[in-house]
Amino acid sequence: DGLDQALFVVGQSLVCLGAGSDSTEGRVLWQLALPVQTGPPSVAALGRGGELSILLVGADGVVYAVR
C-alpha cells in the first residue's frame, strides 16, 4: 500500500502498526499470537518472487517465518 508500517514484539505477540487517519497517529493493523517469546522481527525476501516474510527466532531455538 506504500504506507509506512512498524513491526515489533510485545510479550508473545507480533504487532504491526500503521498510519492512522492522519499523520499524527498510528493504529494497530494486525497482531499475531506467537507460541513462544521471540527476539525482534526481521524482514527478508525468502523466495524467488521477492515477496517479503517476517522472521523471528524463538526462545526455543526455532526460526519462525510469517508470510
Side-chain angles (χ1 to χ4, degrees):
D1 62 7
L3 299 175
D4 290 334
Q5 298 173 351
L7 294 169
F8 58 96
V9 175
V10 176
Q12 283 185 225
S13 292
L14 176 63
V15 180
C16 178
L17 287 182
S21 58
D22 63 38
S23 62
T24 63
E25 63 182 46
R27 64 184 172 103
V28 174
L29 298 177
W30 54 266
Q31 48 188 337
L32 176 68
L34 301 168
V36 297
Q37 295 250 215
T38 68
S42 297
V43 178
L46 298 180
R48 291 184 177 159
E51 191 171 316
L52 296 177
S53 297
I54 302 164
L55 303 175
L56 303 121
V57 178
D60 57 0
V62 174
V63 176
Y64 295 91
V66 179
R67 295 181 170 203

